[in-house]
Amino acid sequence: QVLLVESGGGLVQPGGSLRLSCAASGIIRSINTMGWYRQAPGKQRELVATLTNGINRHYADSVKGRFTVSRDNVKNTVYLRMSSLEPNDTGVYYCNAKGLHSSGSFDTWGQGTQVTVSS
């Protein structure tokens, strides 16, 4: 079983910055993709940013130029650096990881961390 634990959410003023972290634990053979999704109140969960094979980055149009996804392969941790935050960035941010563990493939979600952008 693979477990994802997120941290770093909170309340920030518009224009501010936050960094989210997501650490994967378990008997992990490899992680192909790690990324972040978010869900605003009353809306569906949407992709924010993903990092595949440690190289290929994909961002939602709404966050391009403001958010950066990165990964520490040794720590099995993915980060999301968020800058120039806007009220529309408010929501619960979920970490996702896909890869192989001791018994096969996994596609796992974290429990979510709240990000609120408000003055």
Side-chain angles (χ1 to χ4, degrees), residues 46-95:
E46 63 177 0
L47 180 147
V48 176
T50 59
L51 179 57
T52 300
N53 294 328
I55 300 173
N56 298 315
R57 290 176 170 82
H58 177 72
Y59 295 97
D61 288 343
S62 60
V63 307
K64 284 180 180 177
R66 301 188 298 120
F67 291 12
T68 302
V69 62
S70 61
R71 177 178 161 182
D72 185 326
N73 292 326
V74 174
K75 297 181 179 179
N76 281 336
T77 299
V78 65
Y79 305 96
L80 185 67
R81 176 67 177 176
M82 305 184 293
S83 302
S84 301
L85 282 161
E86 304 167 354
N88 285 341
D89 294 317
T90 295
V92 179
Y93 283 68
Y94 296 91
C95 176

